[in-house]
PDB file of all heavy atoms in Angstrom:
ATOM      1  N   ALA A1140      93.378 131.289 105.471  1.00 65.00           N
ATOM      2  CA  ALA A1140      92.795 130.109 106.145  1.00 65.00           C
ATOM      3  C   ALA A1140      92.776 130.317 107.596  1.00 65.00           C
ATOM      4  O   ALA A1140      93.725 130.805 108.268  1.00 65.00           O
ATOM      5  CB  ALA A1140      93.630 128.839 105.765  1.00 65.00           C
ATOM      6  N   HIS A1141      91.653 129.982 108.253  1.00 62.00           N
ATOM      7  CA  HIS A1141      91.440 130.268 109.673  1.00 62.00           C
ATOM      8  C   HIS A1141      92.358 129.451 110.548  1.00 62.00           C
ATOM      9  O   HIS A1141      92.773 129.907 111.639  1.00 62.00           O
ATOM     10  CB  HIS A1141      89.988 129.990 110.093  1.00 62.00           C
ATOM     11  CG  HIS A1141      89.001 130.909 109.491  1.00 62.00           C
ATOM     12  ND1 HIS A1141      88.568 130.895 108.213  1.00 62.00           N
ATOM     13  CD2 HIS A1141      88.439 132.016 110.012  1.00 62.00           C
ATOM     14  CE1 HIS A1141      87.758 131.907 107.934  1.00 62.00           C
ATOM     15  NE2 HIS A1141      87.563 132.605 109.020  1.00 62.00           N
ATOM     16  N   LEU A1142      92.804 128.299 110.129  1.00 64.00           N
ATOM     17  CA  LEU A1142      93.583 127.429 111.023  1.00 64.00           C
ATOM     18  C   LEU A1142      95.140 127.624 110.689  1.00 64.00           C
ATOM     19  O   LEU A1142      95.912 127.074 111.449  1.00 64.00           O
ATOM     20  CB  LEU A1142      93.236 125.944 110.787  1.00 64.00           C
ATOM     21  CG  LEU A1142      91.826 125.623 111.185  1.00 64.00           C
ATOM     22  CD1 LEU A1142      91.532 124.107 111.089  1.00 64.00           C
ATOM     23  CD2 LEU A1142      91.590 126.024 112.689  1.00 64.00           C
ATOM     24  N   ASP A1143      95.527 128.287 109.586  1.00 53.00           N
ATOM     25  CA  ASP A1143      96.910 128.650 109.452  1.00 53.00           C
ATOM     26  C   ASP A1143      97.087 130.052 109.976  1.00 53.00           C
ATOM     27  O   ASP A1143      97.043 131.028 109.297  1.00 53.00           O
ATOM     28  CB  ASP A1143      97.270 128.556 107.973  1.00 53.00           C
ATOM     29  CG  ASP A1143      97.579 127.102 107.451  1.00 53.00           C
ATOM     30  OD1 ASP A1143      97.642 126.244 108.294  1.00 53.00           O
ATOM     31  OD2 ASP A1143      97.598 126.968 106.277  1.00 53.00           O
ATOM     32  N   THR A1144      97.321 130.103 111.294  1.00 49.00           N
ATOM     33  CA  THR A1144      97.327 131.464 112.033  1.00 49.00           C
ATOM     34  C   THR A1144      98.769 132.097 111.996  1.00 49.00           C
ATOM     35  O   THR A1144      98.826 133.298 112.192  1.00 49.00           O
ATOM     36  CB  THR A1144      96.798 131.298 113.466  1.00 49.00           C
ATOM     37  OG1 THR A1144      97.648 130.279 114.077  1.00 49.00           O
ATOM     38  CG2 THR A1144      95.414 130.746 113.438  1.00 49.00           C
ATOM     39  N   ASP A1145      99.774 131.244 111.826  1.00 49.00           N
ATOM     40  CA  ASP A1145     101.147 131.805 111.966  1.00 49.00           C
ATOM     41  C   ASP A1145     101.472 132.452 110.589  1.00 49.00           C
ATOM     42  O   ASP A1145     101.115 131.967 109.523  1.00 49.00           O
ATOM     43  CB  ASP A1145     102.087 130.669 112.230  1.00 49.00           C
ATOM     44  CG  ASP A1145     103.521 131.153 112.442  1.00 49.00           C
ATOM     45  OD1 ASP A1145     103.838 131.531 113.578  1.00 49.00           O
ATOM     46  OD2 ASP A1145     104.259 131.192 111.482  1.00 49.00           O
ATOM     47  N   ALA A1146     102.251 133.552 110.708  1.00 50.00           N
ATOM     48  CA  ALA A1146     102.615 134.290 109.476  1.00 50.00           C
ATOM     49  C   ALA A1146     103.466 133.415 108.553  1.00 50.00           C
ATOM     50  O   ALA A1146     103.264 133.599 107.297  1.00 50.00           O
ATOM     51  CB  ALA A1146     103.462 135.529 109.883  1.00 50.00           C
ATOM     52  N   MET A1147     104.323 132.595 109.019  1.00 45.00           N
ATOM     53  CA  MET A1147     105.029 131.784 108.079  1.00 45.00           C
ATOM     54  C   MET A1147     104.183 130.714 107.394  1.00 45.00           C
ATOM     55  O   MET A1147     104.422 130.433 106.334  1.00 45.00           O
ATOM     56  CB  MET A1147     106.185 131.081 108.912  1.00 45.00           C
ATOM     57  CG  MET A1147     107.310 131.923 109.250  1.00 45.00           C
ATOM     58  SD  MET A1147     108.735 131.010 110.041  1.00 45.00           S
ATOM     59  CE  MET A1147     107.994 130.671 111.621  1.00 45.00           C
ATOM     60  N   GLU A1148     103.154 130.224 108.077  1.00 41.00           N
ATOM     61  CA  GLU A1148     102.174 129.339 107.505  1.00 41.00           C
ATOM     62  C   GLU A1148     101.445 129.988 106.380  1.00 41.00           C
ATOM     63  O   GLU A1148     101.335 129.439 105.272  1.00 41.00           O
ATOM     64  CB  GLU A1148     101.246 128.815 108.537  1.00 41.00           C
ATOM     65  CG  GLU A1148     101.786 127.935 109.576  1.00 41.00           C
ATOM     66  CD  GLU A1148     100.785 127.457 110.578  1.00 41.00           C
ATOM     67  OE1 GLU A1148      99.998 128.223 111.026  1.00 41.00           O
ATOM     68  OE2 GLU A1148     100.830 126.217 110.979  1.00 41.00           O
ATOM     69  N   ARG A1149     101.053 131.209 106.623  1.00 42.00           N
ATOM     70  CA  ARG A1149     100.308 131.965 105.509  1.00 42.00           C
ATOM     71  C   ARG A1149     101.225 132.243 104.346  1.00 42.00           C
ATOM     72  O   ARG A1149     100.750 132.167 103.192  1.00 42.00           O
ATOM     73  CB  ARG A1149      99.744 133.196 106.167  1.00 42.00           C
ATOM     74  CG  ARG A1149      98.626 133.001 107.184  1.00 42.00           C
ATOM     75  CD  ARG A1149      98.090 134.349 107.716  1.00 42.00           C
ATOM     76  NE  ARG A1149      97.054 134.102 108.718  1.00 42.00           N
ATOM     77  CZ  ARG A1149      95.761 133.939 108.463  1.00 42.00           C
ATOM     78  NH1 ARG A1149      95.334 133.881 107.260  1.00 42.00           N
ATOM     79  NH2 ARG A1149      94.908 133.759 109.434  1.00 42.00           N
ATOM     80  N   SER A1158      96.899 123.003 114.841  1.00 73.00           N
ATOM     81  CA  SER A1158      95.962 123.982 115.335  1.00 73.00           C
ATOM     82  C   SER A1158      94.744 123.311 115.648  1.00 73.00           C
ATOM     83  O   SER A1158      94.438 122.129 115.067  1.00 73.00           O
ATOM     84  CB  SER A1158      95.827 125.153 114.263  1.00 73.00           C
ATOM     85  OG  SER A1158      95.476 124.574 113.032  1.00 73.00           O
ATOM     86  N   ARG A1343     101.216 135.538 122.095  1.00 73.00           N
ATOM     87  CA  ARG A1343     101.728 136.818 121.508  1.00 73.00           C
ATOM     88  C   ARG A1343     102.447 137.657 122.512  1.00 73.00           C
ATOM     89  O   ARG A1343     103.299 138.445 122.151  1.00 73.00           O
ATOM     90  CB  ARG A1343     100.415 137.611 121.058  1.00 73.00           C
ATOM     91  CG  ARG A1343      99.696 136.865 119.897  1.00 73.00           C
ATOM     92  CD  ARG A1343      98.507 137.744 119.422  1.00 73.00           C
ATOM     93  NE  ARG A1343      97.819 137.076 118.325  1.00 73.00           N
ATOM     94  CZ  ARG A1343      96.661 137.561 117.814  1.00 73.00           C
ATOM     95  NH1 ARG A1343      96.146 138.695 118.300  1.00 73.00           N
ATOM     96  NH2 ARG A1343      96.087 136.940 116.778  1.00 73.00           N
ATOM     97  N   ALA A1386      86.970 128.530 115.273  1.00 58.00           N
ATOM     98  CA  ALA A1386      88.346 128.644 115.064  1.00 58.00           C
ATOM     99  C   ALA A1386      88.964 129.555 116.102  1.00 58.00           C
ATOM    100  O   ALA A1386      90.161 129.956 115.986  1.00 58.00           O
ATOM    101  CB  ALA A1386      88.693 129.109 113.679  1.00 58.00           C
TER     102      ALA A1386
END
Side-chain angles (χ1 to χ4, degrees):
H1141 291 78
L1142 295 183
D1143 282 348
T1144 57
D1145 186 86
M1147 284 186 290
E1148 292 180 316
R1149 294 181 182 272
S1158 55
R1343 295 180 179 177

